[in-house]
Amino acid sequence: MLGLGLLGLCYGASWSSPGEVFAALSGADPSVVIRDWRLPRVLAALVFGAALGVAGAIFQNLTRNPMGSPDVIGLDAGAYSGALVALTVLSGTSAQLAVGSVAGGLVVAATIYLLSFDKGFSGLRLVVIGIAVNAMVTAVNSWIVLRAELEVAIAAVGWSAGSLNGVGWDDLGIPFAVIGVLLVVLATRAHAMHQASLGDAVASSTGVRLDRLRLLMVLVGVGCTATVTAVTGPIVFVALAAPQIGRRLAGAAGVPLLPAALTGAVLLQGADLIAQMLLAPVALPVGVVSTAIGGCYLIWLLTKEVRRA
């Protein structure tokens, strides 16, 4: 994280030396490029990547399935639907995008949970239904874009790629605060969540109220995903890959939250640097790079799951 962060602060249209970066951060050199342009982007990649990694860990623990990720089961698409409504029906302000994204994610999450709840909770059933709901919501999103006015449609399609281009300090205050609150809430219930991942019987015997815990975890996971989506657009596959990579690096049996958060931060920061360098001086949306990398990861994961089955 520190290495990629330093590289992100050094890299740009003109290369800055590490000495210039440290001078700008310490206030000795009031560099607008480093402090007001590059630093917000680097911090956004780290914090948003951590939020996506945590969201992925939450749903993979709830479903006990490595495919249980917000972007796979449709929460990203639902958050995008809410943002599309804010863009096409309302004026599309930052507050409307935030509220619309959270509302859309919650509606899709509630729909998936209700459809998958049949004589008890099943993680596999939730993933399968989530994939189907994801396809339907994606189709609805395409219809909304096609019916929108040309300028709005162009803005919506560009925003849907997921990008950190142009992110500034004014865009980050409220999202960082929301994510911070959600992570604090999650930290207070992390032990109970890991107990629940061992099985319903084990969790109930230790006093964990599963229904209440699952509802809280879904709210936190949707909140993290929708908050990121409201600022950057949907950035896919980070939430899918980060928890499993973090679990393997940590050598943990379950899906621990801290390794997932740190891995998500590294993945998004690395993907954003690749997006900036690939066709420089043109900066690609980070979602393009994360989709390409995540697609390869998804193929590997599906192949592994099929062989295991």
Side-chain angles (χ1 to χ4, degrees), residues 122-212:
S122 170
L124 178 60
R125 188 163 57 239
L126 186 146
V127 171
V128 173
I129 292 176
I131 292 173
V133 171
N134 185 23
M136 291 186 288
V137 174
T138 301
V140 171
N141 292 342
S142 299
W143 178 81
I144 293 174
V145 171
L146 289 173
R147 298 289 296 177
E149 296 181 0
L150 180 59
E151 294 80 4
V152 176
I154 293 174
V157 171
W159 185 74
S160 69
S163 177
L164 292 172
N165 297 338
V167 171
W169 291 118
D170 294 340
D171 305 313
L172 301 181
I174 295 177
F176 279 8
V178 171
I179 290 173
V181 171
L182 292 174
L183 294 182
V184 169
V185 172
L186 181 61
T188 63
R189 304 297 295 161
H191 181 66
M193 189 187 75
H194 288 307
Q195 286 179 310
S197 67
L198 299 176
D200 292 357
V202 174
S204 298
S205 65
T206 57
V208 177
R209 297 184 178 181
L210 289 173
D211 291 338
R212 182 179 297 180

Side-chain angles (χ1 to χ4, degrees), residues 219-239:
L219 291 176
V220 172
V222 171
C224 288
T225 302
T227 301
V228 175
T229 302
V231 179
T232 66
I235 299 176
V236 298
F237 288 116
V238 173

Side-chain angles (χ1 to χ4, degrees), residues 4-22 24-25 29 31-46 164-169 172 176 269 272-273 276-277:
L4 289 174
L6 178 60
L7 181 59
L9 292 174
C10 292
Y11 180 79
S14 61
W15 178 264
S16 300
S17 67
E20 293 173 330
V21 169
F22 291 127
L25 295 180
D29 180 17
S31 173
V32 174
V33 172
I34 295 175
R35 298 180 63 176
D36 294 338
W37 294 359
R38 297 177 188 173
L39 184 57
R41 183 171 187 148
V42 169
L43 292 179
L46 295 177
L164 292 172
N165 297 338
V167 171
W169 291 118
L172 301 181
F176 279 8
Q269 179 64 40
D272 187 50
L273 284 171
Q276 295 180 63
M277 297 177 180

